[in-house]
Amino acid sequence: MKAGGVPEFPLYANRFPAGAIDNYLAESWQIEYNITVGAFRAPSSKFKAASEQSFLDRLAEVMGKDPIAFRLELLKRAETNQVGENNEQDAKRYAGVLEQVREKSN
């Protein structure tokens, strides 16, 4: 996965899907400039999340798997295969959210 943008962009080597996908590599670059983006409430993470989750939906479809079940499989792998010393993801918590979504949405 490659991402680029302004400071505070959301691609980090030790966040999901790190640990869930074999041979995953996160590469990033950024443009330095003098405009503060913190007040915009994570403008670039929404775009990354949309493309990442759309890609996971497509993979699940091609593999003939339920999209939530597929994500839960990936999160289980990520939970047991932590990447880096300072891991910034809580795969168990993410899985709990998906379980609740599945339950509430039927």
Side-chain angles (χ1 to χ4, degrees), residues 35-64:
I35 299 173
T36 303
V37 296
F40 294 155
R41 305 283 301 155
S44 55
S45 63
K46 293 175 183 80
F47 298 111
K48 180 190 168 284
S51 59
E52 176 186 279
Q53 295 304 311
S54 295
F55 180 70
L56 291 177
D57 281 340
R58 182 68 179 128
L59 283 178
E61 180 182 359
V62 168
M63 296 170 76

Side-chain angles (χ1 to χ4, degrees), residues 62-97:
V62 168
M63 296 170 76
K65 295 185 176 190
D66 173 76
I68 291 178
F70 179 60
R71 284 170 175 80
L72 290 172
E73 287 176 28
L74 292 175
L75 288 168
K76 191 63 167 172
R77 286 189 70 190
E79 183 181 346
T80 59
N81 188 24
Q82 298 290 316
V83 175
E85 294 177 18
N86 187 18
N87 198 276
E88 296 183 12
Q89 66 186 7
D90 188 344
K92 191 172 183 176
R93 182 176 175 201
Y94 298 166
V97 170

